[in-house]
């Protein structure tokens, strides 16, 4: 398994804007989608290509296309929805598999409440999207669901990751690659990432 912290200047700039306490709901939502697109670009860099022939303007020519695997994008409700449009900008024909989980505020354990996966998920590469990888409980529960449904090719795209969450996912699912805009310092006593983004779901949906 690999963990890739994307150092691209656009990613670092946009994440900086998201961290400001004064960021508006509108800006936060827009930036979450934009960084989601940039993470998708990085997470698909190593996909295999194949040649095929097309009729070009000057006659038959060789072109390239992505070989084999199709995608399913897996937003974790709610906050993952904030990255979805950006991801779909780059993989527009992906099927969407929605997983609903919230984190119990006392125990920090994930509580599942929704699951609607693409029917042919075993043939697809899953791109899980969630802004926050904190304790790792929600991510691991989502990966468990996908694997139970037969999905064997899984990548996780998160805006901010805590070292504790990365370690938990690595221990349970060493085959899953993680792409993140930042590996932050640590979790506080309430399980929030420091410095992090605060409550990403509330910021995207404007609920606090
Ligand atoms: O790594 P973990 O400790 O599991 O925490 C991360 C999860 O917490 C947040 O969701 P939240 O439970 O706040 O739900 P929401 O998206 O509906 O706000 C976040 O979007 C992740 O899904
Ligand atoms: O820092 C965190 C941790 C979990 N969920 C969030 O939205 N933020
Ligand atoms: Mg939340």
């Amino acid at each position: 398994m690999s963990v890739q912290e994307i150092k691209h200047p656009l990613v670092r700039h946009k994440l900086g804007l998201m961290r400001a306490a004064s960021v508006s709901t509108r800006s936060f939502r827009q930036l979450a989608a934009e960084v989601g697109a940039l993470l998708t670009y990085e997470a698909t860099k190593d996909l295999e290509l194949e040649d095929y022939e097309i009729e070009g303007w000057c006659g038959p020519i060789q072109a390239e296309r992505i070989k084999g695997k199709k995608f399913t994008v897996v937003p974790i409700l709610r906050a993952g929805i904030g990255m979805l449009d950006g991801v779909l900008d780059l993989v527009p024909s992906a099927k969407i598999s929605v997983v609903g989980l919230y984190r119990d505020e006392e125990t920090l354990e994930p509580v599942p409440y929704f699951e609607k996966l693409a029917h042919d998920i075993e043939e697809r590469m899953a791109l899980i999207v969630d802004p926050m990888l904190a304790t790792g409980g929600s991510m691991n529960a989502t990966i468990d669901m996908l694997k139970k449904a037969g999905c064997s090719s899984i990548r996780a795209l998160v805006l901010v990751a805590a070292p504790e969450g990365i370690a938990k996912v690595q221990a349970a699912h060493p085959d899953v690659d993680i792409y993140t805009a930042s590996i932050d310092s640590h979790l506080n006593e309430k399980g929030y990432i420091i410095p992090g983004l605060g409550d990403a779901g509330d910021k995207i949906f404007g609920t606090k």
Side-chain angles (χ1 to χ4, degrees):
M1 155 174 179
S2 74
V3 181
Q4 297 197 34
E5 187 182 24
I6 307 306
K7 306 279 191 184
H8 193 291
L10 285 174
V11 171
R12 311 220 69 75
H13 180 90
K14 290 175 191 295
L15 192 66
L17 297 175
M18 295 184 84
R19 290 192 197 270
S22 59
V23 69
S24 67
T25 300
R26 182 175 181 224
S27 297
F28 193 91
R29 202 182 279 150
Q30 183 174 340
L31 290 160
E34 289 173 0
V35 180
L38 293 165
L39 292 178
T40 304
Y41 180 79
E42 294 289 337
T44 51
K45 249 181 176 170
D46 62 342
L47 295 182
E48 209 181 330
L49 292 169
E50 64 183 5
D51 291 333
Y52 72 117
E53 193 173 284
I54 56 168
E55 199 59 38
W57 70 274
C58 55
I61 52 167
Q62 291 289 305
E64 290 175 309
R65 64 185 170 201
I66 292 167
K67 189 175 174 186
K69 281 230 160 40
K70 296 169 285 180
F71 297 101
T72 184
V73 184
V74 188
I76 303 179
L77 299 178
R78 286 175 307 166
I81 293 290
M83 296 168 65
L84 184 60
D85 282 349
V87 176
L88 290 176
D89 280 346
L90 297 204
V91 287
S93 49
K95 294 280 193 315
I96 301 170
S97 299
V98 178
V99 166
L101 290 166
Y102 70 87
R103 199 170 72 144
D104 183 295
E105 284 181 14
E106 297 298 318
T107 64
L108 301 183
E109 288 298 315
V111 182
Y113 60 89
F114 189 78
E115 179 179 343
K116 184 77 180 172
L117 306 181
H119 73 277
D120 54 354
I121 199 159
E122 65 284 350
E123 295 165 19
R124 294 180 179 270
M125 174 186 284
L127 300 178
I128 302 174
V129 296
D130 192 331
M132 312 306 281
L133 176 61
T135 67
S138 302
M139 186 59 71
N140 274 352
T142 302
I143 297 169
D144 287 340
M145 280 185 205
L146 296 178
K147 287 188 174 176
K148 203 168 157 208
C151 185
S152 58
S153 175
I154 303 174
R155 297 179 177 190
L157 281 55
V158 300
L159 300 184
V160 177
E164 296 90 328
I166 291 172
K168 191 160 168 173
V169 174
Q170 275 183 321
H173 298 290
D175 55 312
V176 173
D177 294 325
I178 299 174
Y179 298 83
T180 182
S182 180
I183 300 173
D184 274 13
S185 170
H186 64 281
L187 296 176
N188 72 9
E189 66 290 348
K190 290 187 170 162
Y192 275 78
I193 303 175
I194 303 299
L197 297 168
D199 191 308
D202 281 340
K203 288 189 173 174
I204 288 163
F205 286 87
T207 40
K208 213 174 254 179

